[in-house]
Amino acid sequence: MADKLRLGVLVSGSGTNLQSIINACEAGKIDAEVAVVISNRAEAFGLERARKHGIPALHIPVGRNETPEYEIADREQTRALRDHGVGLVCMAGYLRKAGPSVLETFAGAVMNIHPALLPAFPGVKVQWAAVEYGVRISGCTVHFADPEFDRGPIIIQAAVPVLQEDDGEALAKRILQCEHRIYPQAIQWFVAGRLSLDGRHVFVDDARAGSWRDGALFSPALELDL
Amino acid sequence: MADKLRLGVLVSGSGTNLQSIINACEAGKIDAEVAVVISNRAEAFGLERARKHGIPALHIPVGRNETPEYEIADREQTRALRDHGVGLVCMAGYLRKAGPSVLETFAGAVMNIHPALLPAFPGVKVQWAAVEYGVRISGCTVHFADPEFDRGPIIIQAAVPVLQEDDGEALAKRILQCEHRIYPQAIQWFVAGRLSLDGRHVFVDDARAGSWRDGALFSPALELDL
């Protein structure tokens, strides 16, 4: 156990992606363990989920981006992540930018998940924006975080149909099911040392082309049974 | 034959989408006929394709967008399309905007195809841009044209994986195979009177959710055997 990679997960809300990561770790599908969960909101249910699994759960308030309070929180997060021996930071429904201290300390080891096919629909409430725009296909993206919001190098994406009767909530639900598959998959590739970076291109060693499962297209192909 | 809907196709280049439309018409998969093909470039191979099928092929030079020459060409296109009894205008690899006269005369009846999953990657050389960005999934879009480039209401999209070894050309080829399926499908829906518009939402009457074929996700589902 002691030599497993330790994950630090940043959340702001209910933490269903956190839960899928915890489950995949506990089931041995991800060869790592969640060492600490940090939320910028005290009432985030993600903290509760962590505690139920005996995982240290911290509330670190974060100010608005680029305020002094934000910078203090960035350093406090960095210290907490380091104290818990974290080797990979996973933003999971975390509604702030990763700060410069976190990004520097965990260079090349900070991931984020976004509920759209980036570069389409960056930002927030993007499932609603996709329905409003009238796209026929949307999806989700796991990418390495960089100082720009929703811009870092892409590891894996999944695409799903947008149905004519969808509202934002229905689409969000369909996309979420894919999120719960691609995030653990991306993390396990990292854990297995199969990710390398060339500029903004991520290479997944020995990856297969897209796969199809339960009405969604995954690229690269999913390998884990998630 | 006389009461079939008549298509006017605008091209700038080799016209493989034009060919897929001609083929689908000749095979009876689209219940319409190509009445005229217009190119802004005299040497466009699309004109040659039209002539081989006995379809009138016109060269109408078009200046840069929003010049006097462009406006004259817009009116000349409109006249030619009207003279040939066109009921639906299909831009197929046409590298200019549809002009105000064409858009007004054929309101709600001008389509375009774009080799990316709009709103991601508008513009030109977008398959190369997608590879450069590092997306894992791209595709193509058929949409109604409006005065904005690549912004009109979306009828159908298809998504394909971007492979790690892809260059722009390899991706363009994979996307093109989907273009040749979704464009005839969108046209046939129009011909069958199954498309209606509500703001920027296109409703396809009786459409089914996404379908999967030869490694691509189609949404709404393809119905024609293309």
Side-chain angles (χ1 to χ4, degrees):
Chain A
M1 291 295 282
D3 58 348
K4 275 196 180 176
L5 185 84
R6 296 168 67 82
L7 310 178
V9 183
L10 306 185
V11 300
S12 294
S14 74
T16 68
N17 273 305
L18 165 65
Q19 189 68 56
S20 76
I21 294 167
I22 292 173
N23 293 350
C25 287
E26 291 188 351
K29 292 174 182 176
I30 299 177
D31 194 24
E33 58 188 322
V34 180
V36 63
V37 172
I38 302 174
S39 171
N40 59 318
R41 293 174 58 238
E43 68 280 21
F45 187 64
L47 294 176
E48 196 56 37
R49 292 183 193 267
R51 289 185 201 105
K52 280 185 191 160
H53 289 263
I55 298 166
L58 309 180
H59 169 225
I60 300 180
V62 175
R64 300 169 76 88
N65 290 337
E66 282 147 86
T67 59
E69 195 191 354
Y70 171 83
E71 284 167 31
I72 291 165
D74 176 30
R75 288 195 294 273
E76 202 175 332
Q77 283 176 357
T78 304
R79 193 164 46 240
L81 292 165
R82 209 149 39 184
D83 286 351
H84 285 87
V86 164
L88 174 66
V89 180
C90 301
M91 301 160 76
Y94 180 64
L95 299 176
R96 287 286 182 282
K97 278 191 195 179
S101 167
V102 167
L103 286 176
E104 196 187 332
T105 307
F106 301 94
V110 183
M111 286 185 188
N112 185 37
I113 187 156
H114 183 77
L117 285 174
L118 291 172
F121 304 110
V124 295
K125 283 288 202 178
V126 297
Q127 303 95 331
W128 284 257
V131 167
E132 182 142 333
Y133 189 99
V135 293
R136 298 301 197 166
I137 291 174
S138 191
C140 48
T141 304
V142 176
H143 62 91
F144 283 115
D146 71 7
E148 293 273 336
F149 231 9
D150 301 329
R151 264 285 318 189
I154 294 175
I155 301 165
I156 181 171
Q157 293 185 303
V160 296
V162 180
L163 307 192
Q164 303 198 116
E165 62 272 25
D166 275 347
D167 55 14
E169 203 165 316
L171 178 59
K173 201 171 155 188
R174 190 172 311 118
I175 290 174
L176 196 60
Q177 292 175 333
C178 291
E179 293 177 49
H180 295 165
R181 289 172 160 165
I182 65 173
Y183 214 172
Q185 177 66 75
I187 293 168
Q188 177 54 22
W189 281 333
F190 182 94
V191 172
R194 289 172 58 189
L195 300 183
S196 51
L197 205 57
D198 176 14
R200 48 177 295 111
H201 289 88
V202 179
F203 185 78
V204 184
D205 193 37
D206 213 23
R208 285 175 301 117
S211 62
W212 173 253
R213 190 170 199 161
D214 298 334
L217 167 62
F218 297 88
S219 177
L222 278 186
E223 297 169 11
L224 298 179
D225 178 27
L226 291 164
Chain B
M1 290 295 282
D3 58 348
K4 276 196 179 176
L5 186 85
R6 295 169 68 81
L7 310 178
V9 183
L10 307 184
V11 300
S12 295
S14 75
T16 68
N17 274 304
L18 165 66
Q19 189 67 57
S20 77
I21 294 168
I22 293 173
N23 293 351
C25 288
E26 292 188 350
K29 292 174 184 177
I30 299 176
D31 194 25
E33 58 188 323
V34 180
V36 62
V37 173
I38 302 174
S39 171
N40 59 318
R41 293 174 59 237
E43 68 278 22
F45 187 64
L47 293 176
E48 195 56 41
R49 293 183 193 269
R51 288 187 202 106
K52 280 186 191 161
H53 289 263
I55 298 165
L58 309 179
H59 169 225
I60 301 180
V62 175
R64 300 168 76 87
N65 291 337
E66 282 145 88
T67 59
E69 195 191 355
Y70 170 82
E71 285 167 30
I72 291 165
D74 177 28
R75 288 195 294 274
E76 201 175 334
Q77 284 176 355
T78 304
R79 193 163 47 239
L81 293 165
R82 211 151 36 186
D83 287 351
H84 285 87
V86 164
L88 175 65
V89 180
C90 301
M91 300 160 77
Y94 180 64
L95 299 176
R96 287 287 182 279
K97 278 191 196 180
S101 167
V102 167
L103 287 176
E104 196 188 330
T105 307
F106 300 94
V110 183
M111 288 185 187
N112 185 36
I113 188 156
H114 184 78
L117 286 174
L118 292 172
F121 304 110
V124 295
K125 283 287 201 180
V126 297
Q127 303 95 330
W128 284 257
V131 166
E132 184 143 329
Y133 189 99
V135 292
R136 298 300 196 166
I137 291 175
S138 191
C140 48
T141 303
V142 176
H143 63 92
F144 283 115
D146 72 6
E148 293 271 337
F149 230 9
D150 301 330
R151 265 286 315 189
I154 295 175
I155 301 165
I156 182 171
Q157 293 185 303
V160 297
V162 181
L163 308 191
Q164 303 198 114
E165 62 272 26
D166 274 348
D167 55 14
E169 202 165 317
L171 177 59
K173 199 171 156 188
R174 190 173 310 117
I175 290 173
L176 195 60
Q177 292 175 331
C178 291
E179 294 177 49
H180 295 166
R181 289 173 161 165
I182 65 173
Y183 213 171
Q185 178 65 76
I187 293 168
Q188 177 53 25
W189 281 333
F190 181 94
V191 172
R194 289 173 58 189
L195 299 184
S196 52
L197 206 56
D198 176 14
R200 50 176 294 112
H201 289 89
V202 179
F203 185 77
V204 184
D205 193 37
D206 213 25
R208 286 174 301 115
S211 63
W212 173 254
R213 189 165 195 169
D214 299 335
L217 166 63
F218 297 88
S219 176
L222 279 185
E223 297 169 10
L224 298 178
D225 178 29
L226 292 163

